[in-house]
C-alpha cells in the first residue's frame, strides 16, 4: 500500500500535549508506524560530553505514532485524510477534505 504520510509533508498533531500544532515530517519509520516531526514532541535529554559534541541538557524530537498525526490540507491547513486517484497513469495523493492534489 502506498504511504499516506511522507517525508516533507506538513502535518497536524491530533492528540497529546502538542495537539493542534503543525510541523514538517523529517523522517518516516514504517516498520514502527512512527514519524519524526520537526518541532513536535520535544523532550530534554541529558547528554554526556564527547570529543564530537558538547555535553549538557539538549532538546530533541522523539517520533510520534502515525495515528496521532494527520496531513494538513493544502488549502486551509486543517487536518485531512488522504485518498488516492489515478491521473495520467500516475497514482497521486489527494486531500479528502478539499479534493486538492498533494504535491510530492
Amino acid at each position: 500500500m502506498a504511504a499516506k504520510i511522507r517525508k516533507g509533508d506538513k502535518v497536524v498533531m491530533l492528540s497529546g500535549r502538542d495537539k493542534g500544532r503543525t510541523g514538517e515530517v523529517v523522517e518516516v519509520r514504517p516498520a514502527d508506524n512512527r514519524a519524526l516531526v520537526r518541532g513536535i514532541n520535544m523532550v530534554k535529554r541529558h547528554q554526556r560530553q564527547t570529543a564530537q559534541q558538547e555535553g549538557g541538557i539538549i532538546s530533541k524530537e522523539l517520533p510520534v505514532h502515525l495515528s496521532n498525526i494527520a496531513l494538513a490540507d493544502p488549502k486551509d491547513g486543517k487536518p485531512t485524510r488522504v485518498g488516492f486517484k489515478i491521473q495520467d497513469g500516475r497514482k497521486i495523493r489527494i486531500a479528502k477534505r478539499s479534493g486538492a492534489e498533494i504535491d510530492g
Side-chain angles (χ1 to χ4, degrees), residues 43-61:
V43 294
K44 300 223 182 254
R45 289 289 181 251
H46 294 261
Q47 187 166 350
R48 187 181 300 272
Q49 183 173 355
T50 65
Q52 289 82 22
Q53 55 196 12
E54 207 174 298
I57 301 172
I58 61 161
S59 291
K60 67 180 205 174
E61 300 108 352

Side-chain angles (χ1 to χ4, degrees), residues 4-71:
K4 294 184 185 242
I5 294 179
R6 299 179 187 163
K7 180 179 175 179
D9 285 346
K10 189 171 181 170
V11 294
V12 180
M13 280 295 290
L14 299 177
S15 64
R17 68 167 188 240
D18 291 325
K19 181 177 180 177
R21 293 186 57 201
T22 61
E24 182 185 343
V25 176
V26 178
E27 177 185 358
V28 179
R29 301 174 183 172
D32 302 331
N33 283 330
R34 294 187 173 271
L36 196 63
V37 183
R38 181 171 288 121
I40 301 290
N41 201 20
M42 297 293 288
V43 294
K44 300 223 182 254
R45 289 289 181 251
H46 294 261
Q47 187 166 350
R48 187 181 300 272
Q49 183 173 355
T50 65
Q52 289 82 22
Q53 55 196 12
E54 207 174 298
I57 301 172
I58 61 161
S59 291
K60 67 180 205 174
E61 300 108 352
L62 290 184
V64 294
H65 199 270
L66 291 176
S67 65
N68 294 329
I69 57 177
L71 197 74

